[in-house]
Amino acid sequence: MSKPKEKIFDVNLFKRLFTYIKPYNLVFIGLLIMVVLSAAFSAATPYLTKYAIDNSIAVKLKEDFLFYIIIMLVVLILQTVIQLCFIYYAAWLGQNLVKDVRTKLFNHLLRFKMKYYDNSSVGVLITRSVTDMERIADIFGQGLFMIVKDLLTMIVVFAVMVYINVKLSIIVFIMLPLLLYATRIFQKVMKKAFEEVRTEVSNLNSFVQERLTGMKILQLFTREDTEFKKFKAINERHKKGWLKTVWYNSIFFPLADLSGSIAMGLVAWYGGLHVVLEGSDVSQGDLIAFIMFIPMLFRPLRQIADKFNTLQMGMVAANRVFKVLDTTSQIDDHGTHIAETFRGDIDFKNVFFNYVEDEAVLKGISFKVKSGDTVAIVGATGAGKSTIINLLNRFYEIKDGVISVDGINIKDVTLESLRTQIAVVLQDVFLFADTILNNITLNHPEITEEQVYQAAKDIGIHDFIMSLPNGYHYNVKERGVMLSSGQRQLISFLRAYVTNPSILVLDEATSSVDSYSEQLIQNATDKITKGRTSIVIAHRLATIKKADKIIVMDSGKIVEQGTHNELLKRENGYYRNLYEVQFLKEDVA
């Protein structure tokens, strides 16, 4: 089967991009008017020069010469003003359009399923949201309108040249077919080259972003040299991609200049020869005008090829961005029930789930959590404990079964109200490069600073926060690097508590902390779990012992349920063996 012919210019993609221009139609129409005027004024100067030479200089009449000079000066001033407005508003339109597309893209990204991010590179998504967006802006600021302007200029110049002198025009146009053919070939190879460049830019961004984020691991395991070699390889491919575009430019643009020079030489030879002859149909003004016209005809063609590069880069970027926008990876939010609060009765009925097709993670689990109870979930790594939390929040869709809260299927509850009523404290706490206060409230308009103070006092961490420089306004920097793991965990507890959730989830939230922070965390845990339904992915023994019920999981199934004492009484029970292996030393200590 033959490979489908690749499009040099995707009209459908361009039409879609144009839908974002509608709010700025007046500016768009104004730019088109400026394009027409600019083309007209460009051709006016050589035409006026011809008349000035033929009607004044050639016949030695000084009276009208000043008039022509003044007219040319006015045309030049108007052309400059139009050019200034054109450049500014073309860029203005491009930046406003890309602002709207970027806003839509980010809003789209905010609502993707977690599965999408599991399978996507952060570096690539950053490239789509930032670098590719700037390329789209260039479509209008440096591409489309410039191409239209140059094309119209060529048409006007072509018409005026034919009107002035047909024979000289034919000489000039002999060189155009060759240049037009070269331009088409240039456009095809440049499109392919730019696609390669954009791919390598994405790879480079992704690689650098991941290595900078994981720099501590690289240095701990002395992988600097290995990763440097990988970076050099990616950087080399990026360089080769760009050098292809440079090579194509180095061939085409000298060829375009050569064509213009040959055309000008032919006109000078033929026109100059006929100017000295009596009764010739070529005047001095014609010759000078054509010498001025030739660069105006060939330079736009050269610029069109150059601007077409910009246009193609923008189109490649737009295609990549629209692919993300066209991705339907959102959780279906068709629920109509708005949960202002939950009692907290949770019911999992025969729930099946898999992250990857045919690789089951949960295998028909069923359990209930009563309102106000604290339930601990224990089991080996990979048993499916954290998956339960992800499904309760609808970060992923279950394959089969039903999950309900207060007897209502969570699919019938709006996503926003469901997640508002469930607060999660994770083991790996993520903090933004912002103040502690903003990391707690996440800029929620209804959570006041006074509420945060009171909540911090309630769970016993106000003094810890106030001991930091600037207290609640202390900037924790990127990912909270200015705080210890225990301190970050305390902030996450306060972030959960201040929202006053109906259901609280602690996903191994007390692991990997120092003894001082552990005591603060334990006190905070007792406070925030009191009187509300809580699910604890257990790590610390103290939390497990206090739980109203313990659910024991293994390989995606629930193997035991009961209280701490009930489970310990079972001979050769899974929990008892787990307790003796993992927790006995901690209990004795």
Side-chain angles (χ1 to χ4, degrees):
M1 183 179 291
S2 62
K3 188 177 179 181
K5 189 175 181 181
E6 188 178 19
K7 295 180 180 178
I8 298 177
F9 188 80
D10 193 331
V11 176
N12 291 329
L13 180 64
F14 204 73
K15 286 180 179 178
R16 181 174 181 182
L17 200 57
F18 252 74
T19 60
Y20 291 89
I21 290 181
K22 289 183 179 179
Y24 313 105
N25 275 339
L26 287 177
V27 174
F28 179 73
I29 293 170
L31 283 168
L32 292 180
I33 293 172
M34 283 187 268
V35 165
V36 174
L37 292 175
S38 180
F41 284 135
S42 295
T45 301
Y47 191 76
L48 289 170
T49 302
K50 164 190 161 48
Y51 270 88
I53 292 174
D54 289 343
N55 297 336
S56 295
I57 296 176
V59 295
K60 300 179 181 180
L61 290 177
K62 298 181 180 179
E63 290 78 6
D64 294 334
F65 186 68
L66 181 61
F67 171 76
Y68 286 117
I69 295 298
I70 293 173
I71 294 296
M72 283 191 283
L73 181 62
V74 171
V75 168
L76 181 63
I77 293 172
L78 289 174
Q79 187 177 0
T80 302
V81 172
I82 290 171
Q83 186 74 356
L84 186 152
C85 294
F86 171 76
I87 293 173
Y88 175 80
Y89 281 105
W92 182 92
L93 179 63
Q95 288 300 325
N96 276 276
L97 181 144
V98 84
K99 176 204 69 176
D100 295 342
V101 178
R102 184 186 282 124
T103 300
K104 185 176 181 178
L105 177 65
F106 188 70
N107 187 50
H108 197 62
L109 291 172
L110 286 173
R111 285 156 178 79
F112 275 151
K113 298 176 185 177
M114 288 299 107
K115 186 176 181 178
Y116 178 85
Y117 294 105
D118 294 341
N119 300 322
S120 300
S121 165
V122 174
V124 169
L125 292 178
I126 291 173
T127 301
R128 300 292 173 269
S129 303
V130 181
T131 309
D132 283 343
M133 287 296 176
E134 291 306 316
R135 299 289 77 78
I136 293 174
D138 289 342
I139 290 177
F140 298 93
Q142 301 177 29
L144 172 67
F145 290 112
M146 293 292 187
I147 290 174
V148 173
K149 174 177 170 292
D150 288 340
L151 280 174
L152 194 58
T153 298
M154 290 177 63
I155 292 171
V156 172
V157 167
F158 175 86
V160 175
M161 288 172 74
V162 172
Y163 175 76
I164 292 175
N165 193 294
V166 175
K167 290 182 180 180
L168 289 180
S169 300
I170 292 173
I171 293 174
V172 174
F173 299 152
I174 288 174
M175 299 302 302
L176 282 180
L178 174 63
L179 191 55
L180 287 171
Y181 179 75
T183 301
R184 180 170 176 79
I185 299 298
F186 178 69
Q187 290 167 353
K188 290 177 68 175
V189 296
M190 285 300 285
K191 183 176 188 294
K192 185 176 180 180
F194 280 133
E195 286 177 343
E196 183 178 334
V197 168
R198 298 310 309 150
T199 298
E200 294 306 329
V201 167
S202 295
N203 292 338
L204 198 60
N205 285 346
S206 180
F207 185 88
V208 172
Q209 188 271 335
E210 285 187 343
R211 271 58 186 182
L212 291 179
T213 302
M215 187 58 69
K216 183 181 289 186
I217 298 298
L218 297 184
Q219 294 185 357
L220 280 172
F221 289 90
T222 63
R223 306 307 294 167
E224 295 95 332
D225 292 341
T226 301
E227 296 303 317
F228 179 63
K229 290 177 181 177
K230 290 182 180 179
F231 176 81
K232 285 179 67 177
I234 297 174
N235 202 29
E236 179 69 18
R237 293 199 301 270
H238 178 257
K239 181 202 74 175
K240 287 180 178 179
W242 268 113
L243 284 180
K244 280 185 182 179
T245 68
V246 174
W247 171 244
Y248 297 145
N249 282 329
S250 65
I251 293 174
F252 174 77
F253 291 121
L255 181 62
D257 291 339
L258 178 63
S259 300
S261 299
I262 292 174
M264 188 175 294
L266 291 173
V267 166
W269 169 75
Y270 180 85
L273 184 63
H274 284 73
V275 163
V276 299
L277 299 177
E278 293 291 336
S280 171
D281 59 350
V282 179
S283 68
Q284 295 180 31
D286 292 346
L287 182 60
I288 298 300
F290 266 74
I291 290 175
M292 295 177 68
F293 274 132
I294 288 172
M296 296 177 65
L297 187 65
F298 281 81
R299 190 187 305 120
L301 189 59
R302 181 185 187 280
Q303 289 175 344
I304 285 172
D306 194 19
K307 298 306 178 184
F308 202 87
N309 295 344
T310 301
L311 183 62
Q312 287 193 136
M313 285 190 72
M315 295 298 284
V316 170
N319 187 49
R320 294 174 184 273
V321 169
F322 286 139
K323 280 183 179 178
V324 179
L325 284 171
D326 290 339
T327 301
T328 54
S329 186
Q330 290 83 3
I331 293 288
D332 293 332
D333 189 11
H334 301 310
T336 56
H337 180 77
I338 300 176
E340 295 183 1
T341 185
F342 284 136
R343 293 192 310 276
D345 294 313
I346 302 173
D347 189 4
F348 274 62
K349 293 181 181 177
N350 200 32
V351 173
F352 288 82
F353 174 76
N354 52 269
Y355 292 103
V356 180
E357 194 67 31
D358 299 326
E359 294 182 17
V361 176
L362 298 183
K363 306 169 183 177
I365 67 168
S366 299
F367 67 89
K368 293 183 178 181
V369 181
K370 293 181 181 179
S371 174
D373 281 359
T374 296
V375 173
I377 303 177
V378 300
T381 300
K385 305 185 297 296
S386 296
T387 299
I388 291 176
I389 309 309
N390 289 331
L391 297 182
L392 183 61
N393 281 279
R394 291 197 70 199
F395 288 136
Y396 301 87
E397 293 283 26
I398 61 177
K399 184 176 182 181
D400 199 5
V402 176
I403 303 173
S404 59
V405 179
D406 294 350
I408 304 171
N409 190 323
I410 60 173
K411 290 185 177 180
D412 297 329
V413 182
T414 61
L415 271 178
E416 183 178 1
S417 65
L418 174 69
R419 292 174 180 171
T420 298
Q421 294 303 316
I422 302 174
V424 181
V425 179
L426 299 171
Q427 177 183 0
D428 183 17
V429 179
F430 187 94
L431 297 182
F432 295 93
D434 206 336
T435 64
I436 287 180
L437 179 65
N438 288 339
N439 269 289
I440 293 168
T441 65
L442 296 177
N443 298 302
H444 196 296
E446 296 180 7
I447 301 177
T448 65
E449 195 166 341
E450 289 71 24
Q451 288 175 310
V452 174
Y453 292 163
Q454 187 58 50
K457 292 174 182 177
D458 290 344
I459 64 175
I461 65 172
H462 176 73
D463 292 338
F464 143 66
I465 296 176
M466 292 304 295
S467 68
L468 298 171
N470 298 322
Y472 287 85
H473 297 281
Y474 178 61
N475 193 311
V476 300
K477 305 300 180 184
E478 188 174 359
R479 300 181 70 89
V481 295
M482 302 304 292
L483 301 177
S484 69
S485 59
Q487 290 172 328
R488 291 196 295 270
Q489 201 65 262
L490 290 169
I491 298 302
S492 71
F493 268 81
L494 182 54
R495 180 160 63 191
Y497 180 67
V498 78
T499 61
N500 192 29
S502 302
I503 298 172
L504 179 69
V505 177
L506 306 179
D507 189 355
E508 302 212 29
T510 57
S511 62
S512 304
V513 296
D514 56 83
S515 57
Y516 173 73
S517 297
E518 180 184 352
Q519 185 59 48
L520 288 176
I521 289 173
Q522 192 57 56
N523 293 338
T525 301
D526 294 341
K527 178 67 178 180
I528 67 176
T529 57
K530 186 177 181 180
R532 60 168 53 90
T533 303
S534 303
I535 298 177
V536 181
I537 305 298
H539 182 82
R540 298 290 183 175
L541 179 60
T543 306
I544 299 174
K545 284 182 175 180
K546 293 179 182 180
D548 297 295
K549 181 167 66 174
I550 298 173
I551 296 174
V552 186
M553 296 189 66
D554 181 42
S555 301
K557 296 181 179 180
I558 296 176
V559 293
E560 292 176 347
Q561 294 189 58
T563 65
H564 173 71
N565 292 328
E566 289 171 349
L567 295 176
L568 283 182
K569 292 176 182 179
R570 298 185 183 183
E571 291 292 335
N572 296 320
Y574 190 99
Y575 177 78
R576 179 170 174 172
N577 292 334
L578 188 68
Y579 171 79
E580 291 175 350
V581 172
Q582 296 186 14
F583 300 141
L584 191 56
K585 290 182 180 180
E586 182 180 343
D587 191 32
V588 172

